[in-house]
Amino acid sequence: YVRKTYVVKNGKRTEPKNAEFTLTVASRPAFKNAPIYQVGKIGDETEIDLKTPSGHPVPTIVWTFNGEGVQLGDRIKLVDGRKLRIDPTQKDDQGIWQATATNKTGSSQHAIFLKIEEKLEFTESPSSVRGPDFYIPQFETVKFPCKVRGTPGPQIYQWYRQKHLDEPFNGLPARAYMDEDKSLVIPIAQTWDNGTYFCNVTNEYF
């Protein structure tokens, strides 16, 4: 705006003694320090936040996914006018999410790749095959299966034994070994092999 101040003397207006100007400079939107990669997990909530882009007037944000407009609804919501909240996250959400910030001076774009990981899940375990308790004859060879699915695939398998519930985990029987399919094999089972056995599986994220 422009404001001028006049002095009136003897009924006549003189030239302005001073003038004040407010200058507003519009600026193009810009994304600063925004991430380009993010990991989401199937079934969890994923929030994609590129932070508030700079620019004046404040820009509006429009999102696309793999080049197509994002359909907002119960599962995908726009929060605070800028960030996306996906809940629950699905495998098909993996891809390129792009935000376009626009004001009257122009627009700016920023893309982020969302990688979707699947939680590790047991598909076969001792309890799923024989129930929670194993009863086998002495001298029989026993095999405990341990099969897991997930993305990325399982990378580390570890077996543990606990002889009594009030004792810490300890080593496996000397005869025990892990088969090629990651099952635990105990040849010629003995009474001192009794205990609770655990299969622990991890990958890069879980």
Side-chain angles (χ1 to χ4, degrees), residues 32-74:
K32 297 181 179 180
N33 302 318
I36 60 173
Y37 179 82
Q38 185 172 334
V39 173
K41 300 176 179 62
I42 291 179
D44 288 356
E45 177 185 289
T46 300
E47 192 168 271
I48 306 176
D49 187 2
L50 302 181
K51 309 304 179 185
T52 303
S54 61
H56 189 82
V58 176
T60 58
I61 307 294
V62 175
W63 284 89
T64 61
F65 174 60
N66 290 336
E68 302 291 336
V70 175
Q71 298 296 320
L72 300 177
D74 292 337

Side-chain angles (χ1 to χ4, degrees), residues 123-205:
T123 59
E124 186 176 346
S125 65
S127 59
S128 67
V129 176
R130 288 188 166 181
D133 299 315
F134 269 60
Y135 295 96
I136 60 170
Q138 191 175 12
F139 308 121
E140 182 178 313
T141 295
V142 61
K143 184 174 183 177
F144 299 114
C146 184
K147 294 183 179 180
V148 177
R149 67 183 176 194
T151 306
Q155 297 173 345
I156 300 176
Y157 286 79
Q158 292 178 307
W159 281 93
Y160 303 92
R161 178 180 63 160
Q162 190 178 35
K163 286 187 176 182
H164 303 285
L165 294 179
D166 57 349
E167 292 180 352
F169 293 115
N170 50 37
L172 299 172
R175 304 179 318 284
Y177 64 91
M178 190 162 57
D179 208 351
E180 292 182 356
D181 63 358
K182 309 304 181 183
S183 298
L184 180 68
V185 180
I186 305 177
I188 315 174
Q190 303 293 329
T191 56
W192 53 81
D193 296 328
N194 293 342
T196 302
Y197 290 78
F198 299 84
C199 179
N200 184 61
V201 185
T202 60
N203 65 9
E204 183 178 354
Y205 297 98

